[in-house]
Amino acid sequence: MHRTYSLRSSRAPTNSQLQSPPPPTSTTKSGSLFGKSSLGNTFRKNAAGNFGPDLAKKLSQFVKMEKNVMRSIELVARERREVGKQLSLWGEDNDDDVSDVTDKLGVLIYEIGELEDQFIDKYDQYRLTLKSIRNIEASVQPSRERKQKITDEIAKLKYKEPNSPKIPVLEQELVRAEAESLVAEAQLSNITREKLKASFSYQFDAMRELAEKYALIAGYGKALLELLDDSPVTPGETRPAYDGYEASKQIIVDAENALGNWTLDSAAIKPTLSMRTTTGDVYSSDRQRIDDDDGDVYANDQELLHSAQGNNYSSQGNTANNNWPNEHSEQHDVPTNANGNGTANQHRPVEVV
Amino acid sequence: MHRTYSLRSSRAPTNSQLQSPPPPTSTTKSGSLFGKSSLGNTFRKNAAGNFGPDLAKKLSQFVKMEKNVMRSIELVARERREVGKQLSLWGEDNDDDVSDVTDKLGVLIYEIGELEDQFIDKYDQYRLTLKSIRNIEASVQPSRERKQKITDEIAKLKYKEPNSPKIPVLEQELVRAEAESLVAEAQLSNITREKLKASFSYQFDAMRELAEKYALIAGYGKALLELLDDSPVTPGETRPAYDGYEASKQIIVDAENALGNWTLDSAAIKPTLSMRTTTGDVYSSDRQRIDDDDGDVYANDQELLHSAQGNNYSSQGNTANNNWPNEHSEQHDVPTNANGNGTANQHRPVEVV
């Protein structure tokens, strides 16, 4: 909020941004075919389920619906900034105390819009991470269908021509298809869980940041209101001169510092859990990077996944290769450090079948 | 969040609702001429400044812009609930752990939509309280104009017919107009400050509630994620049976309790102020009702205002009467207890001119 006195000027990164670098700008922020209206939203939601393999339909629709949420938050953020400016504009014509307080309230409200804007970029990362589940779902379907098709063919042949030489060929083909399918299903199972956890973990962290910053702004806003001279005057009485400029400026500086210094580690609101079912602390205060055996730091969870899979599948021979469905490789992963606790237990030694 | 296991069933009031009763449903929630699209928003904003007295134009526009913010939050809330349902729907086809966790995540996300919905109703109260400033602004303008008109007329007469018998009549009229104007200006000054403080105080309290509840939900959401079995499996390996049903249910119960028990007094996030400029504690933990001399509790700040004015203006005689501009009496005040600290110092003894 480096705009203590005006709504202009550029900004220094906050502590929370230093802790986890901000994601790229949300994809919804560029112009879109359907503009910003909810018309596009409705179309998008309804169209989403109509294409692609059955397996991925529900998730496709979910991902599109999240895009609608994002666009609506974007609308709120934009209108919030406009409201902040208009409040300041209205207050200008008023007495000194009202003018100063509304101007500073405008700064805080504008800041809410900015925070919502940053949240949108993170929400987009969450959404794009979910897309990788959709992609693996979509790529698993052909493998299931192929297995089913060969099984059906064998059954048909065995009924029509029980001695057909094609049967052993098809049976060999089925073994290969089953192996491929086993790998695909394992990938689906692993990626679904990993990405689900990573994406929501990221969303919840982003939400926690936005939420605590909202609450901070609300607090500083209330402090500003105290500067209003709201003791009633009688007709003809003039109010004492306003002397709150220093105080209001200081409140904005304090707010700026509080927002700038906020990090996930300093989060004040923690859930009270009556059962402790997991070893990992949900709100661990030491969010450490995870080192692998070489002492390297994993760049992101995608790399982590590849590495884990390398361990699992390399002994499977050629059938269980590491070929990813690259036609679906739109892998937008959450930035480094996004899911500090989430990925740690992927490092437990896994058995090789 | 009385929907531990499903998205249905009705809800018990939360502690925060018991502390300050929820406001009526937002006016934007009924059908509107321009529907829910942003088309209406743009029109509303641009049209707002074009009618009514100059004095009230900027605030009129501000109030309309806040309606846009509200409608956009409404959109977010509605889409949030849809997203919650769709997440649960997608998860249903998955393995037990994914299915259970996504279902519970869906409950939490749906709840976010519900909280945003409650916030909208409060935001509407904030906005309607601002309207009373707009109304007094609009009603003060004619009184200013009348005074100016009489002054001009006297000046003109004094130049053209210095001995006109109309002059003393007009001068008496001017005295009355000035008295009326003095009262109007005092009302404007008092109401602007009182309503500005009450409305924003109410908005910030509502925001703080929403924010802290967001943060709580994010925390419980992260706890749910820990129940996902995200250790990678190898092809053909089956995952151990999911045993998290009890835990996930308990997390939702915990979340329900945390949200239900939350009150402003229990707010965890407080601003750090480096200057203490006001006597009132911005975040006082003992938000008391204000008793008047009779021991009655003020029903709302409107009543408080009337009472205060009675003290000030009654000695002014007939000129300074208590007649409010009733044609502008669309006084929607924030509900009882909304601004606990804000109004206390209106009780200081005021001098009578």
Side-chain angles (χ1 to χ4, degrees), chain B residues 298-326:
Chain B
Y298 282 113
N300 57 35
D301 59 332
Q302 181 61 27
E303 190 186 325
L304 183 66
L305 179 76
H306 275 138
S307 158
Q309 280 192 329
N311 296 337
N312 298 342
Y313 299 153
S314 53
S315 61
Q316 299 282 322
N318 287 336
T319 320
N321 59 32
N322 253 334
N323 285 340
W324 282 82
N326 278 323

PDB file of all heavy atoms in Angstrom, chain B residues 298-326:
ATOM      1  N   TYR B 298     -31.021   2.834  23.995  1.00  0.00           N
ATOM      2  CA  TYR B 298     -31.367   3.417  22.707  1.00  0.00           C
ATOM      3  C   TYR B 298     -31.650   2.334  21.703  1.00  0.00           C
ATOM      4  O   TYR B 298     -30.871   1.411  21.528  1.00  0.00           O
ATOM      5  CB  TYR B 298     -30.224   4.281  22.177  1.00  0.00           C
ATOM      6  CG  TYR B 298     -30.191   5.609  22.843  1.00  0.00           C
ATOM      7  CD1 TYR B 298     -29.145   5.960  23.681  1.00  0.00           C
ATOM      8  CD2 TYR B 298     -31.233   6.505  22.632  1.00  0.00           C
ATOM      9  CE1 TYR B 298     -29.124   7.182  24.300  1.00  0.00           C
ATOM     10  CE2 TYR B 298     -31.210   7.736  23.258  1.00  0.00           C
ATOM     11  CZ  TYR B 298     -30.156   8.073  24.090  1.00  0.00           C
ATOM     12  OH  TYR B 298     -30.131   9.280  24.700  1.00  0.00           O
ATOM     13  N   ALA B 299     -32.786   2.464  21.054  1.00  0.00           N
ATOM     14  CA  ALA B 299     -33.155   1.433  20.078  1.00  0.00           C
ATOM     15  C   ALA B 299     -32.220   1.473  18.886  1.00  0.00           C
ATOM     16  O   ALA B 299     -31.788   0.472  18.374  1.00  0.00           O
ATOM     17  CB  ALA B 299     -34.585   1.625  19.613  1.00  0.00           C
ATOM     18  N   ASN B 300     -31.878   2.655  18.456  1.00  0.00           N
ATOM     19  CA  ASN B 300     -30.898   2.759  17.365  1.00  0.00           C
ATOM     20  C   ASN B 300     -30.324   4.169  17.354  1.00  0.00           C
ATOM     21  O   ASN B 300     -30.719   5.038  18.110  1.00  0.00           O
ATOM     22  CB  ASN B 300     -31.533   2.404  16.014  1.00  0.00           C
ATOM     23  CG  ASN B 300     -32.727   3.281  15.723  1.00  0.00           C
ATOM     24  OD1 ASN B 300     -32.736   4.458  16.089  1.00  0.00           O
ATOM     25  ND2 ASN B 300     -33.733   2.715  15.092  1.00  0.00           N
ATOM     26  N   ASP B 301     -29.369   4.377  16.486  1.00  0.00           N
ATOM     27  CA  ASP B 301     -28.676   5.662  16.508  1.00  0.00           C
ATOM     28  C   ASP B 301     -29.567   6.802  16.030  1.00  0.00           C
ATOM     29  O   ASP B 301     -29.335   7.948  16.332  1.00  0.00           O
ATOM     30  CB  ASP B 301     -27.397   5.588  15.681  1.00  0.00           C
ATOM     31  CG  ASP B 301     -27.663   5.219  14.250  1.00  0.00           C
ATOM     32  OD1 ASP B 301     -28.677   4.530  13.988  1.00  0.00           O
ATOM     33  OD2 ASP B 301     -26.889   5.618  13.400  1.00  0.00           O
ATOM     34  N   GLN B 302     -30.607   6.453  15.269  1.00  0.00           N
ATOM     35  CA  GLN B 302     -31.550   7.477  14.846  1.00  0.00           C
ATOM     36  C   GLN B 302     -32.236   8.082  16.071  1.00  0.00           C
ATOM     37  O   GLN B 302     -32.333   9.292  16.210  1.00  0.00           O
ATOM     38  CB  GLN B 302     -32.593   6.850  13.909  1.00  0.00           C
ATOM     39  CG  GLN B 302     -33.623   7.818  13.363  1.00  0.00           C
ATOM     40  CD  GLN B 302     -32.989   8.920  12.537  1.00  0.00           C
ATOM     41  OE1 GLN B 302     -31.926   8.742  11.969  1.00  0.00           O
ATOM     42  NE2 GLN B 302     -33.616  10.078  12.509  1.00  0.00           N
ATOM     43  N   GLU B 303     -32.660   7.214  16.968  1.00  0.00           N
ATOM     44  CA  GLU B 303     -33.303   7.698  18.183  1.00  0.00           C
ATOM     45  C   GLU B 303     -32.321   8.547  18.985  1.00  0.00           C
ATOM     46  O   GLU B 303     -32.645   9.605  19.505  1.00  0.00           O
ATOM     47  CB  GLU B 303     -33.766   6.504  19.016  1.00  0.00           C
ATOM     48  CG  GLU B 303     -34.653   6.904  20.179  1.00  0.00           C
ATOM     49  CD  GLU B 303     -34.977   5.710  21.051  1.00  0.00           C
ATOM     50  OE1 GLU B 303     -35.122   4.599  20.506  1.00  0.00           O
ATOM     51  OE2 GLU B 303     -35.078   5.889  22.264  1.00  0.00           O
ATOM     52  N   LEU B 304     -31.083   8.072  19.011  1.00  0.00           N
ATOM     53  CA  LEU B 304     -30.033   8.796  19.711  1.00  0.00           C
ATOM     54  C   LEU B 304     -29.907  10.209  19.163  1.00  0.00           C
ATOM     55  O   LEU B 304     -29.831  11.187  19.889  1.00  0.00           O
ATOM     56  CB  LEU B 304     -28.717   8.032  19.528  1.00  0.00           C
ATOM     57  CG  LEU B 304     -27.505   8.593  20.243  1.00  0.00           C
ATOM     58  CD1 LEU B 304     -27.688   8.498  21.735  1.00  0.00           C
ATOM     59  CD2 LEU B 304     -26.258   7.850  19.807  1.00  0.00           C
ATOM     60  N   LEU B 305     -29.934  10.284  17.843  1.00  0.00           N
ATOM     61  CA  LEU B 305     -29.786  11.566  17.193  1.00  0.00           C
ATOM     62  C   LEU B 305     -30.938  12.492  17.540  1.00  0.00           C
ATOM     63  O   LEU B 305     -30.739  13.653  17.886  1.00  0.00           O
ATOM     64  CB  LEU B 305     -29.720  11.363  15.677  1.00  0.00           C
ATOM     65  CG  LEU B 305     -29.578  12.665  14.898  1.00  0.00           C
ATOM     66  CD1 LEU B 305     -28.175  13.182  14.993  1.00  0.00           C
ATOM     67  CD2 LEU B 305     -29.992  12.475  13.456  1.00  0.00           C
ATOM     68  N   HIS B 306     -32.148  11.970  17.448  1.00  0.00           N
ATOM     69  CA  HIS B 306     -33.301  12.804  17.753  1.00  0.00           C
ATOM     70  C   HIS B 306     -33.221  13.346  19.161  1.00  0.00           C
ATOM     71  O   HIS B 306     -33.487  14.507  19.415  1.00  0.00           O
ATOM     72  CB  HIS B 306     -34.597  11.989  17.599  1.00  0.00           C
ATOM     73  CG  HIS B 306     -35.081  11.976  16.189  1.00  0.00           C
ATOM     74  ND1 HIS B 306     -35.575  10.862  15.576  1.00  0.00           N
ATOM     75  CD2 HIS B 306     -35.122  12.958  15.263  1.00  0.00           C
ATOM     76  CE1 HIS B 306     -35.909  11.155  14.333  1.00  0.00           C
ATOM     77  NE2 HIS B 306     -35.636  12.414  14.117  1.00  0.00           N
ATOM     78  N   SER B 307     -32.830  12.494  20.069  1.00  0.00           N
ATOM     79  CA  SER B 307     -32.734  12.908  21.454  1.00  0.00           C
ATOM     80  C   SER B 307     -31.696  14.008  21.617  1.00  0.00           C
ATOM     81  O   SER B 307     -31.933  15.031  22.243  1.00  0.00           O
ATOM     82  CB  SER B 307     -32.377  11.683  22.298  1.00  0.00           C
ATOM     83  OG  SER B 307     -31.804  12.082  23.492  1.00  0.00           O
ATOM     84  N   ALA B 308     -30.566  13.818  20.972  1.00  0.00           N
ATOM     85  CA  ALA B 308     -29.503  14.819  21.068  1.00  0.00           C
ATOM     86  C   ALA B 308     -29.977  16.147  20.491  1.00  0.00           C
ATOM     87  O   ALA B 308     -29.711  17.215  21.023  1.00  0.00           O
ATOM     88  CB  ALA B 308     -28.263  14.326  20.315  1.00  0.00           C
ATOM     89  N   GLN B 309     -30.722  16.076  19.410  1.00  0.00           N
ATOM     90  CA  GLN B 309     -31.191  17.296  18.793  1.00  0.00           C
ATOM     91  C   GLN B 309     -32.219  17.992  19.640  1.00  0.00           C
ATOM     92  O   GLN B 309     -32.264  19.202  19.688  1.00  0.00           O
ATOM     93  CB  GLN B 309     -31.775  16.966  17.431  1.00  0.00           C
ATOM     94  CG  GLN B 309     -30.667  16.791  16.416  1.00  0.00           C
ATOM     95  CD  GLN B 309     -31.267  16.757  15.059  1.00  0.00           C
ATOM     96  OE1 GLN B 309     -32.388  16.307  14.912  1.00  0.00           O
ATOM     97  NE2 GLN B 309     -30.539  17.231  14.084  1.00  0.00           N
ATOM     98  N   GLY B 310     -33.034  17.212  20.267  1.00  0.00           N
ATOM     99  CA  GLY B 310     -34.009  17.792  21.172  1.00  0.00           C
ATOM    100  C   GLY B 310     -33.315  18.707  22.168  1.00  0.00           C
ATOM    101  O   GLY B 310     -33.734  19.830  22.403  1.00  0.00           O
ATOM    102  N   ASN B 311     -32.209  18.251  22.690  1.00  0.00           N
ATOM    103  CA  ASN B 311     -31.464  19.050  23.652  1.00  0.00           C
ATOM    104  C   ASN B 311     -30.906  20.320  23.031  1.00  0.00           C
ATOM    105  O   ASN B 311     -30.922  21.382  23.620  1.00  0.00           O
ATOM    106  CB  ASN B 311     -30.297  18.232  24.217  1.00  0.00           C
ATOM    107  CG  ASN B 311     -30.808  17.043  24.997  1.00  0.00           C
ATOM    108  OD1 ASN B 311     -31.943  17.077  25.460  1.00  0.00           O
ATOM    109  ND2 ASN B 311     -29.992  16.021  25.128  1.00  0.00           N
ATOM    110  N   ASN B 312     -30.424  20.202  21.826  1.00  0.00           N
ATOM    111  CA  ASN B 312     -29.753  21.340  21.217  1.00  0.00           C
ATOM    112  C   ASN B 312     -30.697  22.419  20.733  1.00  0.00           C
ATOM    113  O   ASN B 312     -30.448  23.599  20.901  1.00  0.00           O
ATOM    114  CB  ASN B 312     -28.947  20.883  19.993  1.00  0.00           C
ATOM    115  CG  ASN B 312     -27.868  19.915  20.393  1.00  0.00           C
ATOM    116  OD1 ASN B 312     -27.522  19.849  21.568  1.00  0.00           O
ATOM    117  ND2 ASN B 312     -27.371  19.161  19.437  1.00  0.00           N
ATOM    118  N   TYR B 313     -31.724  21.962  20.054  1.00  0.00           N
ATOM    119  CA  TYR B 313     -32.475  22.902  19.260  1.00  0.00           C
ATOM    120  C   TYR B 313     -33.732  23.415  19.933  1.00  0.00           C
ATOM    121  O   TYR B 313     -34.308  24.389  19.493  1.00  0.00           O
ATOM    122  CB  TYR B 313     -32.870  22.268  17.920  1.00  0.00           C
ATOM    123  CG  TYR B 313     -31.698  21.857  17.100  1.00  0.00           C
ATOM    124  CD1 TYR B 313     -31.789  20.837  16.185  1.00  0.00           C
ATOM    125  CD2 TYR B 313     -30.470  22.517  17.248  1.00  0.00           C
ATOM    126  CE1 TYR B 313     -30.709  20.460  15.423  1.00  0.00           C
ATOM    127  CE2 TYR B 313     -29.378  22.134  16.495  1.00  0.00           C
ATOM    128  CZ  TYR B 313     -29.505  21.110  15.588  1.00  0.00           C
ATOM    129  OH  TYR B 313     -28.439  20.743  14.843  1.00  0.00           O
ATOM    130  N   SER B 314     -34.146  22.758  20.997  1.00  0.00           N
ATOM    131  CA  SER B 314     -35.447  23.129  21.541  1.00  0.00           C
ATOM    132  C   SER B 314     -35.443  24.578  22.022  1.00  0.00           C
ATOM    133  O   SER B 314     -36.454  25.246  21.975  1.00  0.00           O
ATOM    134  CB  SER B 314     -35.823  22.184  22.681  1.00  0.00           C
ATOM    135  OG  SER B 314     -34.782  22.146  23.624  1.00  0.00           O
ATOM    136  N   SER B 315     -34.310  25.105  22.432  1.00  0.00           N
ATOM    137  CA  SER B 315     -34.270  26.471  22.933  1.00  0.00           C
ATOM    138  C   SER B 315     -34.226  27.498  21.811  1.00  0.00           C
ATOM    139  O   SER B 315     -34.168  28.683  22.049  1.00  0.00           O
ATOM    140  CB  SER B 315     -33.047  26.643  23.835  1.00  0.00           C
ATOM    141  OG  SER B 315     -31.894  26.401  23.073  1.00  0.00           O
ATOM    142  N   GLN B 316     -34.213  27.034  20.585  1.00  0.00           N
ATOM    143  CA  GLN B 316     -34.147  27.951  19.455  1.00  0.00           C
ATOM    144  C   GLN B 316     -35.497  28.547  19.090  1.00  0.00           C
ATOM    145  O   GLN B 316     -35.577  29.359  18.186  1.00  0.00           O
ATOM    146  CB  GLN B 316     -33.626  27.208  18.213  1.00  0.00           C
ATOM    147  CG  GLN B 316     -32.244  26.639  18.379  1.00  0.00           C
ATOM    148  CD  GLN B 316     -31.198  27.700  18.246  1.00  0.00           C
ATOM    149  OE1 GLN B 316     -31.338  28.598  17.425  1.00  0.00           O
ATOM    150  NE2 GLN B 316     -30.168  27.651  19.072  1.00  0.00           N
ATOM    151  N   GLY B 317     -36.515  28.098  19.745  1.00  0.00           N
ATOM    152  CA  GLY B 317     -37.826  28.624  19.394  1.00  0.00           C
ATOM    153  C   GLY B 317     -38.359  27.987  18.131  1.00  0.00           C
ATOM    154  O   GLY B 317     -37.860  26.965  17.669  1.00  0.00           O
ATOM    155  N   ASN B 318     -39.367  28.617  17.544  1.00  0.00           N
ATOM    156  CA  ASN B 318     -40.046  27.994  16.409  1.00  0.00           C
ATOM    157  C   ASN B 318     -39.197  27.922  15.152  1.00  0.00           C
ATOM    158  O   ASN B 318     -39.370  27.061  14.317  1.00  0.00           O
ATOM    159  CB  ASN B 318     -41.339  28.759  16.091  1.00  0.00           C
ATOM    160  CG  ASN B 318     -42.381  28.477  17.149  1.00  0.00           C
ATOM    161  OD1 ASN B 318     -42.306  27.440  17.807  1.00  0.00           O
ATOM    162  ND2 ASN B 318     -43.322  29.395  17.316  1.00  0.00           N
ATOM    163  N   THR B 319     -38.336  28.878  15.015  1.00  0.00           N
ATOM    164  CA  THR B 319     -37.517  28.879  13.806  1.00  0.00           C
ATOM    165  C   THR B 319     -36.712  27.589  13.693  1.00  0.00           C
ATOM    166  O   THR B 319     -36.683  26.937  12.668  1.00  0.00           O
ATOM    167  CB  THR B 319     -36.530  30.072  13.841  1.00  0.00           C
ATOM    168  OG1 THR B 319     -37.213  31.192  14.376  1.00  0.00           O
ATOM    169  CG2 THR B 319     -36.006  30.355  12.465  1.00  0.00           C
ATOM    170  N   ALA B 320     -36.073  27.280  14.804  1.00  0.00           N
ATOM    171  CA  ALA B 320     -35.246  26.086  14.799  1.00  0.00           C
ATOM    172  C   ALA B 320     -36.048  24.897  15.307  1.00  0.00           C
ATOM    173  O   ALA B 320     -35.801  24.387  16.377  1.00  0.00           O
ATOM    174  CB  ALA B 320     -34.023  26.308  15.687  1.00  0.00           C
ATOM    175  N   ASN B 321     -37.031  24.532  14.562  1.00  0.00           N
ATOM    176  CA  ASN B 321     -37.835  23.424  15.040  1.00  0.00           C
ATOM    177  C   ASN B 321     -37.207  22.082  14.673  1.00  0.00           C
ATOM    178  O   ASN B 321     -36.190  22.005  14.030  1.00  0.00           O
ATOM    179  CB  ASN B 321     -39.261  23.524  14.506  1.00  0.00           C
ATOM    180  CG  ASN B 321     -39.260  23.512  12.992  1.00  0.00           C
ATOM    181  OD1 ASN B 321     -38.415  22.884  12.371  1.00  0.00           O
ATOM    182  ND2 ASN B 321     -40.196  24.256  12.415  1.00  0.00           N
ATOM    183  N   ASN B 322     -37.857  21.052  15.140  1.00  0.00           N
ATOM    184  CA  ASN B 322     -37.306  19.715  14.939  1.00  0.00           C
ATOM    185  C   ASN B 322     -37.848  19.028  13.696  1.00  0.00           C
ATOM    186  O   ASN B 322     -37.734  17.832  13.540  1.00  0.00           O
ATOM    187  CB  ASN B 322     -37.623  18.856  16.165  1.00  0.00           C
ATOM    188  CG  ASN B 322     -36.365  18.638  16.967  1.00  0.00           C
ATOM    189  OD1 ASN B 322     -35.280  18.691  16.398  1.00  0.00           O
ATOM    190  ND2 ASN B 322     -36.511  18.389  18.246  1.00  0.00           N
ATOM    191  N   ASN B 323     -38.464  19.849  12.820  1.00  0.00           N
ATOM    192  CA  ASN B 323     -39.047  19.218  11.638  1.00  0.00           C
ATOM    193  C   ASN B 323     -37.977  18.687  10.717  1.00  0.00           C
ATOM    194  O   ASN B 323     -37.155  19.429  10.190  1.00  0.00           O
ATOM    195  CB  ASN B 323     -39.903  20.231  10.858  1.00  0.00           C
ATOM    196  CG  ASN B 323     -41.205  20.460  11.566  1.00  0.00           C
ATOM    197  OD1 ASN B 323     -41.614  19.637  12.384  1.00  0.00           O
ATOM    198  ND2 ASN B 323     -41.845  21.588  11.277  1.00  0.00           N
ATOM    199  N   TRP B 324     -38.030  17.398  10.531  1.00  0.00           N
ATOM    200  CA  TRP B 324     -37.056  16.792   9.651  1.00  0.00           C
ATOM    201  C   TRP B 324     -37.561  16.839   8.239  1.00  0.00           C
ATOM    202  O   TRP B 324     -38.754  16.881   7.997  1.00  0.00           O
ATOM    203  CB  TRP B 324     -36.805  15.355  10.083  1.00  0.00           C
ATOM    204  CG  TRP B 324     -35.924  15.383  11.256  1.00  0.00           C
ATOM    205  CD1 TRP B 324     -36.280  15.599  12.539  1.00  0.00           C
ATOM    206  CD2 TRP B 324     -34.531  15.269  11.231  1.00  0.00           C
ATOM    207  NE1 TRP B 324     -35.188  15.618  13.329  1.00  0.00           N
ATOM    208  CE2 TRP B 324     -34.099  15.409  12.551  1.00  0.00           C
ATOM    209  CE3 TRP B 324     -33.585  15.057  10.221  1.00  0.00           C
ATOM    210  CZ2 TRP B 324     -32.754  15.355  12.894  1.00  0.00           C
ATOM    211  CZ3 TRP B 324     -32.269  14.991  10.570  1.00  0.00           C
ATOM    212  CH2 TRP B 324     -31.856  15.148  11.895  1.00  0.00           C
ATOM    213  N   PRO B 325     -36.682  16.859   7.323  1.00  0.00           N
ATOM    214  CA  PRO B 325     -37.115  16.815   5.922  1.00  0.00           C
ATOM    215  C   PRO B 325     -37.737  15.459   5.643  1.00  0.00           C
ATOM    216  O   PRO B 325     -37.063  14.529   5.233  1.00  0.00           O
ATOM    217  CB  PRO B 325     -35.810  16.984   5.135  1.00  0.00           C
ATOM    218  CG  PRO B 325     -34.721  16.626   6.080  1.00  0.00           C
ATOM    219  CD  PRO B 325     -35.238  16.896   7.448  1.00  0.00           C
ATOM    220  N   ASN B 326     -39.040  15.394   5.876  1.00  0.00           N
ATOM    221  CA  ASN B 326     -39.651  14.077   5.845  1.00  0.00           C
ATOM    222  C   ASN B 326     -39.789  13.496   4.462  1.00  0.00           C
ATOM    223  O   ASN B 326     -39.934  12.297   4.281  1.00  0.00           O
ATOM    224  CB  ASN B 326     -41.015  14.106   6.544  1.00  0.00           C
ATOM    225  CG  ASN B 326     -40.832  14.001   8.038  1.00  0.00           C
ATOM    226  OD1 ASN B 326     -39.954  13.276   8.495  1.00  0.00           O
ATOM    227  ND2 ASN B 326     -41.623  14.747   8.792  1.00  0.00           N
TER     228      ASN B 326
END
